[in-house]
């Protein structure tokens, strides 16, 4: 019997390529979580958390519960609330550490540390970055670049903490240490972009806004937090037009993560003050 076109099409529809077979099916976005994210981006934080907590309660898998819980921590970050973010996210870190998922534990600790640092709590930030470093360096899978990556992250974090504490000499020491790790050649190539972020951050908090502009322009230009530091530096150096353009770019973005939690409120406030939003 001659094979028909419809038979061939039906067979093709059932064929799964090896690459496709390896891709896990992505669950549909939780509508409560999506609504919470939307409200956070609009600045309606209390209402946002009502929806995000519903998403946590309704989660049917550990991954879904973890995603929603981390979103709740980010929601608290929008209001610079390190204490509540820690209450939410610390149990995820503890669970990962107990399971010996050291890389995951390290990343969770670092995420919380960043929330605390940008919320103005350098002490809690340092404690959580240390936990992240100590957990991450126990990872034996070399998932993200091995122990050198965690050493680089730890020096990077200490540099930013010192900068926020108004200790430029201490910050410079950690900048040099981070550069030494980077120059060792064992880090993934994409880590190079994080170094001008560090030097630009240190320059910003030292009040050297011209240097901050120069360095931050070499960092990841798609990172809304870097956009925010750069926009504020432009303002300080008198380039208001470039500052406005970056603030508006932040407002147009839809990320829901710690960088956005700190970049968006600043962008909203500065555009309002500048009469542009």
């Amino acid at each position: 019997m001659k094979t028909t076109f419809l038979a061939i099409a039906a067979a093709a529809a059932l064929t799964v390529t090896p690459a496709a077979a390896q891709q896990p099916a992505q669950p549909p976005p939780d509508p409560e979580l999506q609504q919470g994210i939307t409200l956070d981006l609009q600045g309606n934080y209390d209402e946002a958390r009502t929806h995000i907590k519903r998403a946590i309660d309704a989660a049917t898998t550990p991954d879904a519960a973890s995603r929603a819980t981390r979103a709740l921590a980010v929601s608290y970050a929008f209001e610079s609330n390190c204490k509540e973010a820690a209450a939410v996210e610390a149990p995820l870190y503890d669970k990962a550490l107990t399971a010996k998922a050291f890389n995951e534990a390290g990343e969770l600790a670092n995420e919380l540390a960043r929330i605390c640092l940008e919320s103005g709590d350098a002490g809690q930030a340092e404690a959580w970055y240390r936990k992240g470093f100590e957990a991450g360096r126990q990872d034996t899978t070399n998932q993200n670049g091995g122990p050198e990556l965690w050493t680089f992250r730890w020096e990077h974090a200490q540099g930013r903490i010192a900068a926020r504490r108004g200790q430029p000499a201490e910050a410079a020491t950690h900048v040099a240490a981070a550069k030494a790790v980077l120059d060792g050649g064992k880090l993934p190539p994409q880590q190079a972009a994080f170094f001008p972020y560090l030097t630009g951050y240190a320059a910003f908090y030292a009040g050297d806004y011209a240097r901050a502009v120069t360095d931050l322009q070499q960092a990841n230009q798609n990172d809304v937090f870097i956009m925010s530091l750069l926009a504020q530096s432009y303002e300080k150096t008198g380039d208001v037009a470039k500052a406005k353009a970056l603030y508006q770019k932040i407002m147009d973005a839809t990320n829901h993560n710690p960088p956005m939690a700190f970049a968006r409120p600043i962008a909203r406030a500065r555009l309002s003050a500048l009469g542009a939003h």
Side-chain angles (χ1 to χ4, degrees):
M1 180 182 295
K2 189 173 181 180
T3 304
T4 67
F5 173 79
L6 288 176
I8 293 172
L14 294 173
T15 301
V16 180
T17 66
Q22 293 171 7
Q23 296 296 321
Q26 292 298 315
D30 182 292
E32 291 285 2
L33 181 57
Q34 292 303 308
Q35 180 65 12
I37 288 171
T38 298
L39 288 164
D40 263 342
L41 294 175
Q42 292 172 349
N44 300 319
Y45 308 124
D46 287 339
E47 188 179 354
R49 287 192 283 273
T50 297
H51 290 277
I52 295 172
K53 288 175 182 177
R54 288 175 186 165
I56 295 171
D57 292 339
T60 57
T61 67
D63 282 348
S66 178
R67 272 195 308 275
T69 301
R70 291 174 77 173
L72 183 59
V74 169
S75 184
Y76 284 118
F78 272 92
E79 293 190 292
S80 297
N81 193 332
C82 164
K83 182 179 178 180
E84 291 298 334
V88 167
E89 194 157 12
L92 295 180
Y93 160 81
D94 292 337
K95 184 177 179 180
L97 197 62
T98 299
K100 299 188 185 303
F102 296 118
N103 192 70
E104 180 184 356
E107 291 187 346
L108 285 163
N110 277 17
E111 180 173 86
L112 180 51
R114 187 174 187 185
I115 288 172
C116 289
L117 180 60
E118 301 311 329
S119 295
D121 193 335
Q124 281 297 308
E126 184 173 18
W128 277 106
Y129 272 125
R130 185 181 297 277
K131 289 181 180 181
F133 171 61
E134 292 175 349
R137 67 179 176 176
Q138 295 182 68
D139 178 60
T140 58
T141 66
N142 290 334
Q143 184 173 341
N144 287 332
E148 290 80 12
L149 175 62
W150 287 100
T151 300
F152 178 68
R153 286 174 169 175
W154 177 226
E155 294 295 345
H156 198 292
Q158 290 181 93
R160 285 179 285 120
I161 290 167
R164 288 297 296 262
R165 285 173 167 163
Q167 300 170 336
E170 179 72 10
T173 297
H174 293 294
V175 167
K179 183 66 161 58
V181 178
L182 188 62
D183 289 345
K186 294 184 178 181
L187 296 181
Q190 62 267 30
Q191 292 300 313
F194 288 94
F195 187 70
Y197 160 43
L198 171 59
T199 57
Y201 190 105
F204 179 85
Y205 281 101
D208 187 349
Y209 301 112
R211 170 70 185 275
V213 167
T214 298
D215 289 1
L216 291 168
Q217 284 175 332
Q218 300 174 59
N220 181 1
Q221 299 303 293
N222 294 317
D223 185 315
V224 292
F225 186 78
I226 290 170
M227 289 183 205
S228 177
L229 289 179
L230 185 54
Q232 292 173 78
S233 299
Y234 278 138
E235 269 201 85
K236 294 290 189 179
T237 55
D239 200 334
V240 175
K242 285 184 179 179
K244 284 183 179 180
L246 281 177
Y247 289 138
Q248 188 58 56
K249 193 172 181 181
I250 292 167
M251 294 302 297
D252 292 340
T254 58
N255 316 55
H256 189 265
N257 53 23
M260 180 62 87
F262 297 102
R264 196 178 186 93
I266 290 172
R268 181 181 289 112
R270 294 311 306 150
L271 284 173
S272 178
L274 295 169
H277 192 78

